[in-house]
Amino acid sequence: MDTEQGNNNEPKHQNKKHMKLFLVLLNCMLMAVGQVAGPLLVRIYYLHGGKSNWLGAWLLTAGFPVLIIPIAIAYMRAKSRAQAGRFLVTRWLFAASAILGILVGLDSYLYSFGLSYLPVSVSSLLGSSQLAFTAIFAYIVVKHKFTHYSINAVVLMTFGSIILGFHMNGDRPSGESKGKYIIGFFMTTSGAALHGFIMPALEFTYLKAGKTITFDLVLQVLFLISMFASLFCSIPMIINKDFQAIAKEAAEFGLGETNYYTILLIAAIVLQLSVIGSVGVIFSSTSLLGGLVSSLLVPVQQACAVIFLREVFNAEKGMALAMCLWGFASYLYGEYQISRKKPESIEEGSDHDLI
């Protein structure tokens, strides 16, 4: 009898495992699109006449209304099943989402400020240091257990980023003061540290939610986080009259008024995809994997900056690419080994098993 029940549970376990893998890959793709295209578009905004750092920050989560579509679909699906009370967010999750949203808004401002003074290649390098911060905070906040594979990945990818910094002095834009360049360095590094805290904090929020974490719940939490982040950035924009200045900026934009609005619109969409992907990776796996994927995308950002913004690519950047790929492969192989050693009778309600 027990054997027969075990055989019936095995296909269900395999389906759950495949779905988890699909969600991880899908969210990694969303992260890739947003994290690569978003900073490029924001940098283009600054290079051709954009001046508002708060507008650049606001773009990160301003696309949150698009989440109404999947939330509405989930609501209609639940209604067809005669399920009531589909607002799944508890008071704890609402309060945590508000705090996380404010932190995300502040974090996006720090990154936006850095991009106004730094090339994408340098900004992405400094941003990749969030992997080390994520690893540290994941250990402190959610007690993430390290294996020698994950430690190897963190070390390789961190050193790969450090290698990229050997020739950063030659990347300073012409005509920009050293003081502004240093401020950009400080703001971007601070943003990386804050981002490294936000990801484990979000994972901790899931763990302390007191209820099963479903995809519908994640969408609602993400909507709240993005809404509070947008509100946080909107307040200084209203005070500084940045919204009123948009029309003037568009008229004086180096690439033309139409391209100005197009860049802002596409940037808002792809940056929202990055936020969705980051939250989704944490939901379907762990905050550490999110940090590793983010660092893996750094060399891709470097390559796109060279192609589209004519930034310099050198041997150090090529070596960093190899180290990042090696580190990421090490992490994936370690997780594959862990999944093979897990017993078949994994708890059905577990939402945070690694792939």
mmCIF file of all heavy atoms in Angstrom, residues 80-126:
data_model
loop_
_atom_site.group_PDB
_atom_site.id
_atom_site.type_symbol
_atom_site.label_atom_id
_atom_site.label_comp_id
_atom_site.label_asym_id
_atom_site.label_seq_id
_atom_site.Cartn_x
_atom_site.Cartn_y
_atom_site.Cartn_z
ATOM 1 N N SER A 80 -13.898 31.926 -10.611
ATOM 2 C CA SER A 80 -14.545 30.829 -11.337
ATOM 3 C C SER A 80 -14.545 29.542 -10.521
ATOM 4 O O SER A 80 -15.366 28.658 -10.742
ATOM 5 C CB SER A 80 -13.844 30.594 -12.672
ATOM 6 O OG SER A 80 -12.516 30.120 -12.468
ATOM 7 N N ARG A 81 -13.601 29.442 -9.578
ATOM 8 C CA ARG A 81 -13.531 28.272 -8.703
ATOM 9 C C ARG A 81 -14.271 28.496 -7.389
ATOM 10 O O ARG A 81 -14.145 27.715 -6.451
ATOM 11 C CB ARG A 81 -12.069 27.933 -8.391
ATOM 12 C CG ARG A 81 -11.256 27.526 -9.614
ATOM 13 C CD ARG A 81 -9.807 27.329 -9.224
ATOM 14 N NE ARG A 81 -8.989 26.974 -10.383
ATOM 15 C CZ ARG A 81 -7.659 26.857 -10.359
ATOM 16 N NH1 ARG A 81 -7.012 27.086 -9.210
ATOM 17 N NH2 ARG A 81 -6.985 26.541 -11.435
ATOM 18 N N ALA A 82 -15.002 29.616 -7.324
ATOM 19 C CA ALA A 82 -15.798 29.957 -6.141
ATOM 20 C C ALA A 82 -14.929 30.118 -4.903
ATOM 21 O O ALA A 82 -15.318 29.743 -3.795
ATOM 22 C CB ALA A 82 -16.882 28.906 -5.891
ATOM 23 N N GLN A 83 -13.727 30.699 -5.081
ATOM 24 C CA GLN A 83 -12.828 30.966 -3.961
ATOM 25 C C GLN A 83 -12.961 32.443 -3.574
ATOM 26 O O GLN A 83 -12.756 33.321 -4.400
ATOM 27 C CB GLN A 83 -11.374 30.652 -4.316
ATOM 28 C CG GLN A 83 -11.123 29.181 -4.591
ATOM 29 C CD GLN A 83 -9.685 28.926 -5.011
ATOM 30 O OE1 GLN A 83 -8.906 29.854 -5.198
ATOM 31 N NE2 GLN A 83 -9.342 27.662 -5.167
ATOM 32 N N ALA A 84 -13.306 32.701 -2.331
ATOM 33 C CA ALA A 84 -13.519 34.075 -1.869
ATOM 34 C C ALA A 84 -12.267 34.623 -1.206
ATOM 35 O O ALA A 84 -11.361 33.894 -0.837
ATOM 36 C CB ALA A 84 -14.678 34.105 -0.877
ATOM 37 N N GLY A 85 -12.264 35.941 -1.025
ATOM 38 C CA GLY A 85 -11.174 36.583 -0.295
ATOM 39 C C GLY A 85 -9.826 36.431 -0.959
ATOM 40 O O GLY A 85 -8.897 35.893 -0.375
ATOM 41 N N ARG A 86 -9.703 36.925 -2.194
ATOM 42 C CA ARG A 86 -8.473 36.712 -2.948
ATOM 43 C C ARG A 86 -7.421 37.780 -2.683
ATOM 44 O O ARG A 86 -6.390 37.778 -3.331
ATOM 45 C CB ARG A 86 -8.770 36.636 -4.451
ATOM 46 C CG ARG A 86 -9.605 35.441 -4.851
ATOM 47 C CD ARG A 86 -9.048 34.139 -4.318
ATOM 48 N NE ARG A 86 -7.732 33.849 -4.845
ATOM 49 C CZ ARG A 86 -6.948 32.867 -4.442
ATOM 50 N NH1 ARG A 86 -7.335 32.100 -3.441
ATOM 51 N NH2 ARG A 86 -5.771 32.653 -4.990
ATOM 52 N N PHE A 87 -7.714 38.716 -1.740
ATOM 53 C CA PHE A 87 -6.627 39.601 -1.325
ATOM 54 C C PHE A 87 -5.818 38.845 -0.286
ATOM 55 O O PHE A 87 -6.206 38.725 0.875
ATOM 56 C CB PHE A 87 -7.163 40.914 -0.746
ATOM 57 C CG PHE A 87 -6.083 41.925 -0.468
ATOM 58 C CD1 PHE A 87 -5.419 42.554 -1.507
ATOM 59 C CD2 PHE A 87 -5.722 42.229 0.837
ATOM 60 C CE1 PHE A 87 -4.419 43.485 -1.248
ATOM 61 C CE2 PHE A 87 -4.728 43.154 1.099
ATOM 62 C CZ PHE A 87 -4.081 43.780 0.051
ATOM 63 N N LEU A 88 -4.704 38.286 -0.708
ATOM 64 C CA LEU A 88 -3.967 37.307 0.081
ATOM 65 C C LEU A 88 -2.977 37.932 1.053
ATOM 66 O O LEU A 88 -2.441 37.250 1.922
ATOM 67 C CB LEU A 88 -3.212 36.349 -0.865
ATOM 68 C CG LEU A 88 -4.096 35.629 -1.887
ATOM 69 C CD1 LEU A 88 -3.226 34.864 -2.880
ATOM 70 C CD2 LEU A 88 -5.067 34.687 -1.215
ATOM 71 N N VAL A 89 -2.709 39.229 0.891
ATOM 72 C CA VAL A 89 -1.676 39.884 1.695
ATOM 73 C C VAL A 89 -2.176 40.115 3.125
ATOM 74 O O VAL A 89 -3.219 40.720 3.341
ATOM 75 C CB VAL A 89 -1.262 41.225 1.062
ATOM 76 C CG1 VAL A 89 -0.261 41.948 1.938
ATOM 77 C CG2 VAL A 89 -0.670 40.980 -0.323
ATOM 78 N N THR A 90 -1.420 39.629 4.087
ATOM 79 C CA THR A 90 -1.729 39.849 5.502
ATOM 80 C C THR A 90 -1.194 41.213 5.946
ATOM 81 O O THR A 90 -0.487 41.890 5.197
ATOM 82 C CB THR A 90 -1.102 38.744 6.363
ATOM 83 O OG1 THR A 90 0.332 38.796 6.209
ATOM 84 C CG2 THR A 90 -1.598 37.366 5.952
ATOM 85 N N ARG A 91 -1.517 41.608 7.173
ATOM 86 C CA ARG A 91 -0.994 42.884 7.696
ATOM 87 C C ARG A 91 0.533 42.864 7.739
ATOM 88 O O ARG A 91 1.184 43.870 7.453
ATOM 89 C CB ARG A 91 -1.552 43.128 9.096
ATOM 90 C CG ARG A 91 -3.041 43.450 9.122
ATOM 91 C CD ARG A 91 -3.510 43.741 10.535
ATOM 92 N NE ARG A 91 -4.935 44.067 10.583
ATOM 93 C CZ ARG A 91 -5.598 44.354 11.686
ATOM 94 N NH1 ARG A 91 -4.962 44.365 12.865
ATOM 95 N NH2 ARG A 91 -6.879 44.638 11.638
ATOM 96 N N TRP A 92 1.093 41.710 8.124
ATOM 97 C CA TRP A 92 2.554 41.577 8.169
ATOM 98 C C TRP A 92 3.155 41.789 6.793
ATOM 99 O O TRP A 92 4.132 42.526 6.633
ATOM 100 C CB TRP A 92 2.924 40.203 8.733
ATOM 101 C CG TRP A 92 4.271 39.695 8.300
ATOM 102 C CD1 TRP A 92 4.530 38.769 7.321
ATOM 103 C CD2 TRP A 92 5.571 40.106 8.780
ATOM 104 N NE1 TRP A 92 5.879 38.570 7.171
ATOM 105 C CE2 TRP A 92 6.536 39.376 8.066
ATOM 106 C CE3 TRP A 92 5.979 41.019 9.755
ATOM 107 C CZ2 TRP A 92 7.897 39.522 8.286
ATOM 108 C CZ3 TRP A 92 7.356 41.163 9.973
ATOM 109 C CH2 TRP A 92 8.277 40.428 9.255
ATOM 110 N N LEU A 93 2.562 41.145 5.774
ATOM 111 C CA LEU A 93 3.094 41.266 4.420
ATOM 112 C C LEU A 93 2.913 42.677 3.873
ATOM 113 O O LEU A 93 3.766 43.183 3.147
ATOM 114 C CB LEU A 93 2.410 40.254 3.498
ATOM 115 C CG LEU A 93 2.841 38.795 3.667
ATOM 116 C CD1 LEU A 93 1.968 37.872 2.823
ATOM 117 C CD2 LEU A 93 4.311 38.623 3.281
ATOM 118 N N PHE A 94 1.790 43.318 4.241
ATOM 119 C CA PHE A 94 1.561 44.689 3.778
ATOM 120 C C PHE A 94 2.605 45.634 4.368
ATOM 121 O O PHE A 94 3.192 46.457 3.645
ATOM 122 C CB PHE A 94 0.153 45.151 4.173
ATOM 123 C CG PHE A 94 -0.216 46.504 3.636
ATOM 124 C CD1 PHE A 94 -0.797 46.623 2.391
ATOM 125 C CD2 PHE A 94 0.030 47.663 4.369
ATOM 126 C CE1 PHE A 94 -1.136 47.875 1.875
ATOM 127 C CE2 PHE A 94 -0.299 48.911 3.873
ATOM 128 C CZ PHE A 94 -0.880 49.014 2.622
ATOM 129 N N ALA A 95 2.844 45.516 5.677
ATOM 130 C CA ALA A 95 3.840 46.373 6.332
ATOM 131 C C ALA A 95 5.239 46.097 5.786
ATOM 132 O O ALA A 95 6.016 47.027 5.519
ATOM 133 C CB ALA A 95 3.800 46.147 7.840
ATOM 134 N N ALA A 96 5.567 44.807 5.609
ATOM 135 C CA ALA A 96 6.883 44.448 5.074
ATOM 136 C C ALA A 96 7.051 44.950 3.646
ATOM 137 O O ALA A 96 8.130 45.428 3.272
ATOM 138 C CB ALA A 96 7.066 42.926 5.117
ATOM 139 N N SER A 97 5.983 44.879 2.853
ATOM 140 C CA SER A 97 6.037 45.361 1.468
ATOM 141 C C SER A 97 6.266 46.870 1.427
ATOM 142 O O SER A 97 6.997 47.383 0.561
ATOM 143 C CB SER A 97 4.736 45.007 0.732
ATOM 144 O OG SER A 97 4.552 43.610 0.670
ATOM 145 N N ALA A 98 5.632 47.596 2.356
ATOM 146 C CA ALA A 98 5.820 49.047 2.410
ATOM 147 C C ALA A 98 7.272 49.394 2.725
ATOM 148 O O ALA A 98 7.884 50.269 2.076
ATOM 149 C CB ALA A 98 4.887 49.656 3.453
ATOM 150 N N ILE A 99 7.845 48.717 3.708
ATOM 151 C CA ILE A 99 9.248 48.968 4.090
ATOM 152 C C ILE A 99 10.183 48.600 2.946
ATOM 153 O O ILE A 99 11.097 49.364 2.597
ATOM 154 C CB ILE A 99 9.604 48.188 5.366
ATOM 155 C CG1 ILE A 99 8.794 48.698 6.550
ATOM 156 C CG2 ILE A 99 11.102 48.301 5.665
ATOM 157 C CD1 ILE A 99 8.927 47.858 7.808
ATOM 158 N N LEU A 100 9.959 47.418 2.356
ATOM 159 C CA LEU A 100 10.806 46.979 1.240
ATOM 160 C C LEU A 100 10.663 47.929 0.049
ATOM 161 O O LEU A 100 11.640 48.204 -0.658
ATOM 162 C CB LEU A 100 10.440 45.558 0.830
ATOM 163 C CG LEU A 100 10.887 44.445 1.781
ATOM 164 C CD1 LEU A 100 10.260 43.114 1.381
ATOM 165 C CD2 LEU A 100 12.413 44.325 1.794
ATOM 166 N N GLY A 101 9.454 48.433 -0.188
ATOM 167 C CA GLY A 101 9.239 49.363 -1.292
ATOM 168 C C GLY A 101 10.039 50.648 -1.110
ATOM 169 O O GLY A 101 10.649 51.158 -2.065
ATOM 170 N N ILE A 102 10.056 51.169 0.111
ATOM 171 C CA ILE A 102 10.849 52.377 0.386
ATOM 172 C C ILE A 102 12.333 52.109 0.170
ATOM 173 O O ILE A 102 13.050 52.938 -0.408
ATOM 174 C CB ILE A 102 10.576 52.857 1.827
ATOM 175 C CG1 ILE A 102 9.134 53.353 1.953
ATOM 176 C CG2 ILE A 102 11.556 53.960 2.233
ATOM 177 C CD1 ILE A 102 8.707 53.664 3.367
ATOM 178 N N LEU A 103 12.796 50.934 0.621
ATOM 179 C CA LEU A 103 14.202 50.570 0.425
ATOM 180 C C LEU A 103 14.535 50.418 -1.051
ATOM 181 O O LEU A 103 15.606 50.829 -1.503
ATOM 182 C CB LEU A 103 14.515 49.280 1.176
ATOM 183 C CG LEU A 103 14.485 49.355 2.712
ATOM 184 C CD1 LEU A 103 14.755 47.979 3.316
ATOM 185 C CD2 LEU A 103 15.512 50.365 3.216
ATOM 186 N N VAL A 104 13.609 49.818 -1.826
ATOM 187 C CA VAL A 104 13.822 49.668 -3.267
ATOM 188 C C VAL A 104 13.883 51.037 -3.937
ATOM 189 O O VAL A 104 14.705 51.282 -4.834
ATOM 190 C CB VAL A 104 12.709 48.806 -3.897
ATOM 191 C CG1 VAL A 104 12.754 48.877 -5.423
ATOM 192 C CG2 VAL A 104 12.852 47.354 -3.456
ATOM 193 N N GLY A 105 13.008 51.958 -3.512
ATOM 194 C CA GLY A 105 13.031 53.312 -4.063
ATOM 195 C C GLY A 105 14.345 54.016 -3.787
ATOM 196 O O GLY A 105 14.926 54.658 -4.671
ATOM 197 N N LEU A 106 14.849 53.896 -2.555
ATOM 198 C CA LEU A 106 16.138 54.486 -2.198
ATOM 199 C C LEU A 106 17.267 53.832 -2.982
ATOM 200 O O LEU A 106 18.177 54.519 -3.478
ATOM 201 C CB LEU A 106 16.375 54.329 -0.696
ATOM 202 C CG LEU A 106 17.730 54.821 -0.152
ATOM 203 C CD1 LEU A 106 17.921 56.305 -0.434
ATOM 204 C CD2 LEU A 106 17.842 54.530 1.342
ATOM 205 N N ASP A 107 17.205 52.526 -3.114
ATOM 206 C CA ASP A 107 18.226 51.787 -3.847
ATOM 207 C C ASP A 107 18.268 52.209 -5.313
ATOM 208 O O ASP A 107 19.340 52.408 -5.889
ATOM 209 C CB ASP A 107 17.943 50.287 -3.736
ATOM 210 C CG ASP A 107 19.064 49.442 -4.313
ATOM 211 O OD1 ASP A 107 20.240 49.746 -4.042
ATOM 212 O OD2 ASP A 107 18.767 48.477 -5.033
ATOM 213 N N SER A 108 17.094 52.356 -5.917
ATOM 214 C CA SER A 108 17.045 52.765 -7.323
ATOM 215 C C SER A 108 17.592 54.179 -7.503
ATOM 216 O O SER A 108 18.222 54.485 -8.528
ATOM 217 C CB SER A 108 15.608 52.672 -7.850
ATOM 218 O OG SER A 108 14.743 53.501 -7.111
ATOM 219 N N TYR A 109 17.397 55.050 -6.495
ATOM 220 C CA TYR A 109 17.960 56.406 -6.581
ATOM 221 C C TYR A 109 19.489 56.356 -6.540
ATOM 222 O O TYR A 109 20.165 57.065 -7.297
ATOM 223 C CB TYR A 109 17.441 57.277 -5.442
ATOM 224 C CG TYR A 109 18.114 58.635 -5.389
ATOM 225 C CD1 TYR A 109 17.798 59.618 -6.324
ATOM 226 C CD2 TYR A 109 19.092 58.914 -4.431
ATOM 227 C CE1 TYR A 109 18.433 60.857 -6.295
ATOM 228 C CE2 TYR A 109 19.715 60.151 -4.394
ATOM 229 C CZ TYR A 109 19.390 61.110 -5.338
ATOM 230 O OH TYR A 109 20.022 62.328 -5.314
ATOM 231 N N LEU A 110 20.042 55.520 -5.664
ATOM 232 C CA LEU A 110 21.501 55.402 -5.562
ATOM 233 C C LEU A 110 22.099 54.927 -6.880
ATOM 234 O O LEU A 110 23.111 55.453 -7.352
ATOM 235 C CB LEU A 110 21.864 54.444 -4.429
ATOM 236 C CG LEU A 110 21.513 54.909 -3.005
ATOM 237 C CD1 LEU A 110 21.761 53.791 -1.996
ATOM 238 C CD2 LEU A 110 22.310 56.148 -2.628
ATOM 239 N N TYR A 111 21.466 53.922 -7.490
ATOM 240 C CA TYR A 111 21.957 53.420 -8.776
ATOM 241 C C TYR A 111 21.800 54.468 -9.880
ATOM 242 O O TYR A 111 22.683 54.640 -10.728
ATOM 243 C CB TYR A 111 21.213 52.142 -9.173
ATOM 244 C CG TYR A 111 21.792 50.880 -8.583
ATOM 245 C CD1 TYR A 111 21.016 50.017 -7.829
ATOM 246 C CD2 TYR A 111 23.127 50.535 -8.808
ATOM 247 C CE1 TYR A 111 21.546 48.848 -7.291
ATOM 248 C CE2 TYR A 111 23.661 49.374 -8.277
ATOM 249 C CZ TYR A 111 22.874 48.537 -7.529
ATOM 250 O OH TYR A 111 23.408 47.382 -6.997
ATOM 251 N N SER A 112 20.651 55.155 -9.882
ATOM 252 C CA SER A 112 20.405 56.179 -10.897
ATOM 253 C C SER A 112 21.424 57.306 -10.792
ATOM 254 O O SER A 112 21.948 57.793 -11.798
ATOM 255 C CB SER A 112 18.986 56.729 -10.729
ATOM 256 O OG SER A 112 18.752 57.795 -11.618
ATOM 257 N N PHE A 113 21.725 57.717 -9.566
ATOM 258 C CA PHE A 113 22.724 58.768 -9.342
ATOM 259 C C PHE A 113 24.086 58.313 -9.868
ATOM 260 O O PHE A 113 24.807 59.081 -10.520
ATOM 261 C CB PHE A 113 22.810 59.083 -7.854
ATOM 262 C CG PHE A 113 23.559 60.347 -7.534
ATOM 263 C CD1 PHE A 113 22.872 61.510 -7.241
ATOM 264 C CD2 PHE A 113 24.945 60.373 -7.533
ATOM 265 C CE1 PHE A 113 23.565 62.687 -6.951
ATOM 266 C CE2 PHE A 113 25.641 61.544 -7.248
ATOM 267 C CZ PHE A 113 24.947 62.703 -6.957
ATOM 268 N N GLY A 114 24.446 57.052 -9.582
ATOM 269 C CA GLY A 114 25.726 56.537 -10.060
ATOM 270 C C GLY A 114 25.806 56.514 -11.571
ATOM 271 O O GLY A 114 26.841 56.868 -12.163
ATOM 272 N N LEU A 115 24.696 56.121 -12.230
ATOM 273 C CA LEU A 115 24.688 56.059 -13.694
ATOM 274 C C LEU A 115 24.798 57.438 -14.337
ATOM 275 O O LEU A 115 25.213 57.554 -15.489
ATOM 276 C CB LEU A 115 23.405 55.373 -14.174
ATOM 277 C CG LEU A 115 23.455 53.855 -14.326
ATOM 278 C CD1 LEU A 115 22.065 53.318 -14.649
ATOM 279 C CD2 LEU A 115 24.447 53.444 -15.408
ATOM 280 N N SER A 116 24.422 58.480 -13.610
ATOM 281 C CA SER A 116 24.516 59.827 -14.175
ATOM 282 C C SER A 116 25.970 60.279 -14.301
ATOM 283 O O SER A 116 26.274 61.201 -15.065
ATOM 284 C CB SER A 116 23.727 60.823 -13.317
ATOM 285 O OG SER A 116 24.316 60.975 -12.031
ATOM 286 N N TYR A 117 26.885 59.655 -13.548
ATOM 287 C CA TYR A 117 28.296 60.040 -13.575
ATOM 288 C C TYR A 117 29.236 58.942 -14.081
ATOM 289 O O TYR A 117 30.369 59.235 -14.461
ATOM 290 C CB TYR A 117 28.759 60.439 -12.168
ATOM 291 C CG TYR A 117 28.129 61.712 -11.650
ATOM 292 C CD1 TYR A 117 27.682 61.790 -10.330
ATOM 293 C CD2 TYR A 117 27.975 62.827 -12.464
ATOM 294 C CE1 TYR A 117 27.108 62.959 -9.838
ATOM 295 C CE2 TYR A 117 27.403 63.990 -11.977
ATOM 296 C CZ TYR A 117 26.972 64.053 -10.667
ATOM 297 O OH TYR A 117 26.398 65.204 -10.196
ATOM 298 N N LEU A 118 28.782 57.688 -14.077
ATOM 299 C CA LEU A 118 29.665 56.570 -14.417
ATOM 300 C C LEU A 118 29.244 55.894 -15.709
ATOM 301 O O LEU A 118 28.046 55.800 -16.006
ATOM 302 C CB LEU A 118 29.653 55.519 -13.296
ATOM 303 C CG LEU A 118 30.049 55.966 -11.890
ATOM 304 C CD1 LEU A 118 29.892 54.795 -10.921
ATOM 305 C CD2 LEU A 118 31.480 56.480 -11.872
ATOM 306 N N PRO A 119 30.207 55.390 -16.493
ATOM 307 C CA PRO A 119 29.861 54.551 -17.639
ATOM 308 C C PRO A 119 29.163 53.283 -17.163
ATOM 309 O O PRO A 119 29.325 52.855 -16.015
ATOM 310 C CB PRO A 119 31.226 54.215 -18.263
ATOM 311 C CG PRO A 119 32.164 55.238 -17.717
ATOM 312 C CD PRO A 119 31.655 55.607 -16.375
ATOM 313 N N VAL A 120 28.380 52.655 -18.033
ATOM 314 C CA VAL A 120 27.664 51.429 -17.672
ATOM 315 C C VAL A 120 28.634 50.334 -17.246
ATOM 316 O O VAL A 120 28.371 49.572 -16.307
ATOM 317 C CB VAL A 120 26.796 50.945 -18.851
ATOM 318 C CG1 VAL A 120 26.193 49.569 -18.551
ATOM 319 C CG2 VAL A 120 25.680 51.946 -19.130
ATOM 320 N N SER A 121 29.796 50.265 -17.926
ATOM 321 C CA SER A 121 30.768 49.219 -17.610
ATOM 322 C C SER A 121 31.275 49.343 -16.172
ATOM 323 O O SER A 121 31.449 48.351 -15.466
ATOM 324 C CB SER A 121 31.947 49.271 -18.581
ATOM 325 O OG SER A 121 32.546 50.551 -18.578
ATOM 326 N N VAL A 122 31.492 50.567 -15.713
ATOM 327 C CA VAL A 122 31.961 50.787 -14.342
ATOM 328 C C VAL A 122 30.814 50.610 -13.350
ATOM 329 O O VAL A 122 30.969 49.977 -12.299
ATOM 330 C CB VAL A 122 32.570 52.201 -14.198
ATOM 331 C CG1 VAL A 122 32.991 52.450 -12.757
ATOM 332 C CG2 VAL A 122 33.752 52.367 -15.131
ATOM 333 N N SER A 123 29.644 51.144 -13.689
ATOM 334 C CA SER A 123 28.493 51.033 -12.804
ATOM 335 C C SER A 123 28.103 49.573 -12.585
ATOM 336 O O SER A 123 27.790 49.156 -11.467
ATOM 337 C CB SER A 123 27.307 51.803 -13.396
ATOM 338 O OG SER A 123 26.170 51.677 -12.583
ATOM 339 N N SER A 124 28.127 48.786 -13.655
ATOM 340 C CA SER A 124 27.774 47.372 -13.534
ATOM 341 C C SER A 124 28.802 46.625 -12.705
ATOM 342 O O SER A 124 28.469 45.712 -11.940
ATOM 343 C CB SER A 124 27.635 46.728 -14.917
ATOM 344 O OG SER A 124 28.865 46.769 -15.626
ATOM 345 N N LEU A 125 30.062 47.012 -12.841
ATOM 346 C CA LEU A 125 31.121 46.410 -12.029
ATOM 347 C C LEU A 125 30.862 46.639 -10.548
ATOM 348 O O LEU A 125 30.871 45.710 -9.739
ATOM 349 C CB LEU A 125 32.472 47.002 -12.411
ATOM 350 C CG LEU A 125 33.581 46.911 -11.355
ATOM 351 C CD1 LEU A 125 33.985 45.464 -11.142
ATOM 352 C CD2 LEU A 125 34.753 47.766 -11.737
ATOM 353 N N LEU A 126 30.618 47.885 -10.183
ATOM 354 C CA LEU A 126 30.372 48.200 -8.778
ATOM 355 C C LEU A 126 29.074 47.555 -8.295
ATOM 356 O O LEU A 126 28.987 47.080 -7.162
ATOM 357 C CB LEU A 126 30.305 49.715 -8.586
ATOM 358 C CG LEU A 126 31.604 50.471 -8.877
ATOM 359 C CD1 LEU A 126 31.379 51.973 -8.770
ATOM 360 C CD2 LEU A 126 32.703 50.034 -7.934
#
